[in-house]
Amino acid sequence: MLSEKSAATVRATLPAVGAALPAVTERFYAGLFAAHPELLRDLFNRGNQAAGFQRQALAGSIAAFATHLLDHPDERPDVMLGRVAHKHASLGVTAEQYEVVHEHLFAAIAEVLGEAVTPEVAAAWDEVYWLMANALIAIESRLYAARGVAAGDVWREWTVEGRTEETADAATFRLRPADGAPAPGFRPGQYVSVQVELPDGARQIRQYSLSGAPGSATRSITVKRVRGEAPSPDGEVSLHLHARVREGDRLRVSAPYGDLVLDASVLDGGGAPLLLASAGIGCTPMLSMLEHLAGAGHRAPVTVVHGDRSPADHALRADHAALTAKLPDGTAHFWYERPEPGHPGDRTGLVDLASVAVPSGTRAYLCGPLPFMRSVRTQLLGKGVAAADIHYEVFGPDLWLAHD
Ligand SMILES: Cc1cc2nc3c(=O)[nH]c(=O)nc-3n(C[C@H](O)[C@H](O)[C@H](O)COP(=O)(O)OP(=O)(O)OC[C@H]3O[C@@H](n4cnc5c(N)ncnc54)[C@H](O)[C@@H]3O)c2cc1C
Ligand code: HEM
């Protein structure tokens, strides 16, 4: 909780600091990477940096956290903190690195806001920073402990046991621990970070949802190759995985993290009706959830919704349909912008839930591009699904939080 004195100062300066945050974070990253070039090369996503996405996510989260502290002084915004902490844990972020970030963030604040940063203002925002940082550090240390690893020690070598081309642009990599140990379990919907060494020596990290069954002896990730649309370049890591990684190769993979998971209350005792809505490569966490539900003999209604460009572009389409069909009360609805003959049940166009029954008490899990998730969320709210029962995963920095 913020001290009363700091709360008054943060309230008075929030509009000015909020407006300056984009400039502050730009200066912050410039200073951080000048002092620690290895962080840009081997930890941060340099594509996001170049495109400015991550800047917005960090700025948005600090402003949202400060606002939350003022509006709800007795509550911790656990959903927001949880998402960031899971991402940090998948990257192996440690408590000491918060000191480094603090140093460069506050140097940037002083530089951008100049004399407006009186000692009182600096102290109040310092308190905001450490409230957020310490909350994140505490969650991250619990996440490391739960996986039985020392803080930050999340990386292991895995062998690519098989590779399957799913569509022209998506391939599944089946992985087994290189040391022969059994593959540790994960919760349906979680992801891993994968670190690859690129031709210029940078070791870039990206996240991939685990698309296979949580209890199986191997782990699977399904990666879509990101094709750049001029002037944007092709995606670095997805292109590397597609072009270079074959059966028998090694990959450096983190422990599994992510908080878009089927929680125990859904799975225990029959559970609530579920709706699993995805678009494009956003189907991967849904496949792992479906594998789990089918394996557990789940009997409650499960509505599966997916949108894609065409059936040929729909990665894991056959598994998506077959796993849904295994559920006694499972129904799949697939929409394609360009349908193909021979699939009579398919629908044409964008996902439209008007004719889809959504039972009361439904819990929804969404994954796909932001416009898709916004549209599905609006449709679900219109059908009476409670806002608190709509969970989502973004395959990039969470700009939904930054803009809402
Ligand atoms: C939790 C989570 C789970 C995920 N699960 C999956 C999954 O199961 N399967 C999957 O395929 N993906 C998944 N992703 C996405 C994945 O992590 C990567 O973001 C994706 O593979 C693209 O990475 P890349 O290195 O190929 O592209 P990047 O190099 O990171 O590029 C990303 C985008 O930025 C643009 N860009 C890069 N540099 C610039 C520049 N200088 N100027 C302008 N634009 C630029 C590129 O053109 C591209 O459109 C997931 C992401 C998250 C966060
Ligand atoms: C209070 C301090 C911090 C805040 C508020 C913060 C906030 C965030 C947010 C909001 C994201 C995006 C999460 C998402 O939507 O996926 C993120 C990602 C990330 N954070 Fe932090 N963070 C903090 C500290 C740190 C520290 C100490 C490090 C390590 C040096 C770090 C490294 C990263 C990295 C590497 C990513 C992923 C970025 C990318 O790959 O583009 N963060 N952080």
Side-chain angles (χ1 to χ4, degrees):
M1 201 166 97
L2 260 184
S3 64
E4 247 170 64
K5 187 167 168 237
S6 293
T9 310
V10 169
R11 196 181 297 281
T13 52
L14 186 57
V17 172
L21 273 179
V24 166
T25 43
E26 190 164 346
R27 278 306 310 143
F28 154 65
Y29 281 119
L32 179 72
F33 296 145
H36 297 277
E38 75 286 358
L39 291 180
L40 179 58
R41 199 182 59 222
D42 298 340
L43 179 65
F44 283 84
N45 176 332
R46 62 184 179 182
N48 283 350
Q49 286 297 326
F53 300 144
Q54 177 58 22
R55 276 207 292 279
Q56 296 171 44
L58 179 61
S61 82
I62 291 179
F65 186 79
T67 308
H68 187 97
L69 285 176
L70 297 174
D71 294 349
H72 309 279
D74 300 325
E75 267 174 43
R76 252 177 40 175
D78 278 339
V79 173
M80 181 179 100
L81 291 172
R83 184 187 154 88
V84 178
H86 275 268
K87 176 69 77 69
H88 283 168
S90 85
L91 295 156
V93 169
T94 58
E96 297 75 56
Q97 289 174 318
Y98 282 86
E99 300 280 356
V100 178
V101 163
H102 175 263
E103 179 195 334
H104 291 282
L105 187 59
F106 279 75
I109 290 175
E111 198 180 313
V112 172
L113 290 170
E115 284 173 6
V117 188
T118 60
E120 199 185 358
V121 170
W125 281 94
D126 208 56
E127 210 180 317
V128 172
Y129 176 86
W130 283 113
L131 277 172
M132 190 166 187
N134 285 330
L136 288 169
I137 291 168
I139 306 174
E140 286 154 26
S141 79
R142 281 200 297 280
L143 290 174
Y144 292 134
R147 289 277 159 218
V149 298
D153 181 24
V154 291
W155 299 101
R156 299 287 179 272
E157 293 284 314
W158 291 64
T159 304
V160 178
E161 197 176 81
R163 169 177 167 150
T164 310
E165 308 307 313
E166 306 287 354
T167 67
D169 276 332
T172 295
F173 299 86
R174 216 172 54 255
L175 310 170
R176 190 180 280 281
D179 63 3
F186 61 93
R187 295 167 72 198
Q190 291 197 305
Y191 58 82
V192 289
S193 286
V194 174
Q195 187 178 44
V196 299
E197 185 165 342
L198 296 167
D200 67 354
R203 287 150 56 104
Q204 282 281 292
I205 302 174
R206 300 292 184 269
Q207 287 71 42
Y208 294 100
S209 299
L210 294 161
S211 54
S216 71
T218 55
R219 283 214 189 127
S220 296
I221 55 171
T222 303
V223 179
K224 182 182 169 193
R225 173 182 12 207
V226 173
R227 294 181 189 274
E229 282 167 30
S232 300
D234 287 337
E236 284 202 287
V237 173
S238 62
L239 197 75
H240 175 93
L241 291 168
H242 273 261
R244 309 243 170 154
V245 177
R246 302 270 173 269
E247 195 176 318
D249 287 345
R250 296 270 181 107
L251 275 182
R252 202 166 136 82
V253 178
S254 78
Y257 288 107
D259 58 355
L260 183 88
V261 292
L262 291 179
D263 57 39
S265 66
V266 170
L267 301 173
D268 293 347
L274 289 177
L275 183 133
L276 307 180
S278 52
I281 197 62
C283 63
T284 49
M286 307 308 170
L287 264 289
S288 154
M289 292 184 189
L290 284 169
E291 289 263 17
H292 181 78
L293 294 169
H298 189 80
R299 307 200 70 77
V302 179
T303 307
V304 171
V305 164
H306 182 81
D308 226 310
R309 271 175 303 179
S310 73
D313 287 307
H314 179 170
L316 305 165
R317 174 187 153 102
D319 294 337
H320 214 162
L323 286 167
T324 312
K326 269 197 192 172
L327 298 169
D329 201 355
T331 328
H333 307 271
F334 296 157
W335 278 261
Y336 299 108
E337 287 164 58
R338 282 184 278 107
E340 288 160 7
H343 305 292
D346 292 349
R347 298 161 186 229
T348 304
L350 302 178
V351 169
D352 176 359
L353 300 180
S355 63
V356 173
V358 177
S360 80
T362 288
R363 295 193 187 192
Y365 293 79
L366 278 46
C367 187
L370 277 184
F372 162 80
M373 292 202 289
R374 285 210 171 92
S375 153
V376 170
R377 184 169 185 271
T378 306
Q379 296 182 52
L380 290 174
L381 291 173
K383 283 181 166 267
V385 177
D389 287 335
I390 304 177
H391 310 276
Y392 68 93
E393 184 74 272
V394 186
F395 278 5
D398 192 348
L399 301 181
W400 201 344
L401 275 176
H403 290 303
D404 270 6

